Amino acid sequence: MVIFKKLANFDKKRRIFFLEKLEMNQKNKIFDHFLNVIKNTDKDEKEVFYKNIHGKLKKYFEEEAESREYLVDMDLDKSRIKIESLIKETEEEIYEALAYTENLKSKIKKHRKLMKANRWKDIKIITDNFKNIPEPPEQKDYDEDSKIIELPEPDKDIIKKENIYNCITERESRRKYSDESLSLKELSYLLYATQGVRERNDNYHKKTVPSGGARQPFETYIAVNNIEDLKRGIYRYLIFEHKLLYMKSPDNQKRLLKDAALGQEFVANSAAVFFWAALPYRVEWGYFLKSHKIILLEGGHVCQNLYLASESINCGTCAIGAYDQEKSDELLELDGEDEFVIYLAPVGKV
Ligand SMILES: Cc1cc2nc3c(=O)[nH]c(=O)nc-3n(C[C@H](O)[C@H](O)[C@H](O)COP(=O)(O)O)c2cc1C
């Protein structure tokens, strides 16, 4: 077990080196352990193992469906004979697959921890808030000389479906949009519904969506494809001003959007794409390890408001969690460490 833990943390080069140095009896121990792992894992875990093996070993299991079944059904005597000859040829692959499986288990555990509540008392002691370190800005700075676009005040007159019950029941993820543009008024309303400021004092501001401790971790970026009176391009929403800050108009914006959404073409075919980027330190300042769960939960609130607000003006949206982190961050010129995309959603007329 120790060996596997060790192997799991090695990169491929070190793993091969390590295996080459192993004495034969240790190799046999590993082989026994391999069989034991197989024996002691349940059917689902074995499937994970099969999914993660590759190369010769995978081919072997695919071709030799019978031996695969022996393993799944734990008929180890039969499977042992079958795989013994193979094991010499494919040693490295087996170790890798096992190490990967072990790694996966510890990764899942780590990720699950994020979903759980963190201990309040410990956290209070170490937060920057507690140390009297000044609070980070509530909105990202910008150059006063930037091109700033005025937005119309949010106006409920644009609403076509007024009944909240209907908006809730008729909401669905929509992935087909017409060529019709959205008006600036509609964009203004959607920005207000998702991140609009409704109250502000010296200590905090409150928005149209809830935020743990009113820490407000997001900046909103909009990729404009088809909005009346607005040049195609990338913009940042200035929450306190309720204005847009123009950033750039990439030539190949549609392709960049499609790539950012891992090839999901409908994202690029929308009138606009909302990107929500998290600045984790805004929350970490007050809540340290508790922050990351809070931030992700908040993303859900924001996007749900986009769903409901879109529904009320005959538009459609679709939450996008399957996106390319690097490409999305790069498109919005985010550093990917202190600010990065966590969620996006295209909007269009339906
Ligand atoms: C966190 C999250 C991530 C999602 N990611 C995607 C996505 O990347 N692509 C997509 O087409 N739909 C995505 N969806 C939409 C779901 O597929 C959709 O909500 C689900 O099928 C239920 O359908 P409904 O929203 O119409 O009720 C996502 C939804 C959520 C909540």
Side-chain angles (χ1 to χ4, degrees):
M1 209 59 186
V2 175
I3 285 177
F4 282 94
K5 284 244 163 75
K6 211 166 166 183
L7 274 174
N9 292 323
F10 281 4
D11 61 19
K12 191 170 174 182
K13 217 165 137 195
R14 281 180 71 204
R15 218 178 281 147
I16 294 168
F17 179 77
F18 175 84
L19 293 169
E20 276 170 2
K21 300 282 167 220
L22 271 184
E23 293 298 329
M24 201 55 208
N25 67 337
Q26 279 176 296
K27 281 193 180 173
N28 287 340
K29 263 192 222 158
I30 290 184
F31 174 65
D32 284 344
H33 181 73
F34 165 67
L35 287 179
N36 259 331
V37 169
I38 294 292
K39 191 172 150 190
N40 293 323
T41 51
D42 63 24
K43 217 164 170 161
D44 287 347
E45 280 184 322
K46 277 191 196 117
E47 290 300 336
V48 172
F49 175 77
Y50 292 127
K51 271 190 194 140
N52 289 315
I53 56 176
H54 48 270
K56 266 189 207 156
L57 193 60
K58 187 169 193 104
K59 208 159 167 249
Y60 175 81
F61 279 119
E62 273 166 10
E63 281 170 6
E64 302 276 330
E66 207 183 316
S67 76
R68 183 193 153 113
E69 248 145 55
Y70 292 151
L71 284 177
V72 174
D73 295 337
M74 286 195 273
D75 191 341
L76 291 181
D77 282 341
K78 283 182 188 159
S79 58
R80 182 176 192 120
I81 301 159
K82 288 243 177 197
I83 63 173
E84 231 161 13
S85 61
L86 183 85
I87 204 131
K88 285 186 179 59
E89 276 178 60
T90 56
E91 249 171 348
E92 188 207 322
E93 286 179 20
I94 288 169
Y95 301 140
E96 242 187 76
L98 278 174
Y100 192 79
T101 312
E102 296 263 336
N103 233 345
L104 265 189
K105 278 188 211 162
S106 69
K107 267 189 186 159
I108 281 178
K109 220 171 158 183
K110 219 159 120 189
H111 280 230
R112 280 187 183 170
K113 206 171 163 200
L114 176 74
M115 296 170 72
K116 300 179 184 175
N118 268 298
R119 294 149 304 174
W120 273 100
K121 279 179 198 146
D122 298 355
I123 287 159
K124 276 204 167 166
I125 294 163
I126 40 178
T127 58
D128 284 354
N129 178 14
F130 195 78
K131 291 185 218 154
N132 288 330
I133 291 175
E135 190 175 350
E138 292 168 280
Q139 175 169 279
K140 237 170 92 167
D141 266 356
Y142 61 94
D143 186 346
E144 296 288 336
D145 296 333
S146 314
K147 192 173 162 190
I148 307 288
I149 290 99
E150 301 278 334
L151 286 171
E153 280 300 304
D155 180 357
K156 62 180 179 220
D157 285 351
I158 61 163
I159 290 176
K160 300 199 172 76
K161 200 184 282 181
E162 285 189 341
N163 188 317
I164 184 75
Y165 183 85
N166 291 347
C167 290
I168 289 171
T169 38
E170 288 160 29
R171 175 219 67 86
E172 60 177 331
S173 293
R174 299 180 201 271
R175 300 177 181 85
K176 268 206 181 104
Y177 314 112
S178 76
D179 292 337
E180 201 186 330
S181 56
L182 260 71
S183 66
L184 255 192
K185 269 188 170 179
E186 287 170 323
L187 179 65
S188 162
Y189 165 58
L190 296 179
L191 284 164
Y192 179 72
T194 47
Q195 283 286 273
V197 176
R198 60 175 183 84
E199 187 186 320
R200 190 182 188 190
N201 63 30
D202 290 344
N203 299 317
Y204 57 79
H205 70 274
K206 291 185 173 179
K207 289 191 166 103
T208 49
V209 288
S211 171
R215 298 302 313 148
Q216 315 287 8
F218 302 128
E219 292 281 338
T220 306
Y221 295 82
I222 305 288
V224 169
N225 290 325
N226 191 10
I227 308 271
E228 262 168 44
D229 305 321
L230 205 52
K231 188 177 162 180
R232 194 181 48 77
I234 310 293
Y235 297 77
R236 173 152 65 91
Y237 177 46
L238 304 176
I239 49 164
F240 295 125
E241 297 82 347
H242 190 63
K243 290 178 185 172
L244 286 175
L245 177 125
Y246 172 74
M247 291 169 64
K248 61 180 175 182
S249 295
D251 288 339
N252 47 354
Q253 181 164 303
K254 281 210 164 180
R255 220 210 60 231
L256 293 174
L257 285 172
K258 182 182 163 187
D259 290 350
L262 288 176
Q264 300 185 79
E265 190 124 32
F266 68 92
V267 174
N269 293 335
S270 60
V273 184
F274 283 61
F275 286 87
W276 295 292
L279 286 89
Y281 182 65
R282 285 189 193 159
V283 190
E284 288 159 357
W285 177 83
Y287 298 120
F288 197 52
L289 294 179
K290 210 176 153 62
S291 312
H292 313 99
K293 173 177 172 166
I294 290 177
I295 294 170
L296 294 178
L297 289 171
E298 283 181 33
H301 292 296
V302 177
C303 195
Q304 180 69 0
N305 260 21
L306 183 64
Y307 268 99
L308 296 177
S310 297
E311 197 61 39
S312 72
I313 54 170
N314 293 349
C315 284
T317 187
C318 179
I320 300 292
Y323 64 94
D324 184 301
Q325 189 66 56
E326 284 76 26
K327 286 179 183 162
S328 301
D329 291 344
E330 205 180 310
L331 177 65
L332 308 180
E333 299 176 355
L334 312 181
D335 68 14
E337 273 301 319
D338 294 321
E339 184 182 12
F340 47 86
V341 171
I342 62 145
Y343 212 10
L344 47 136
V347 178
K349 287 273 174 189
V350 288

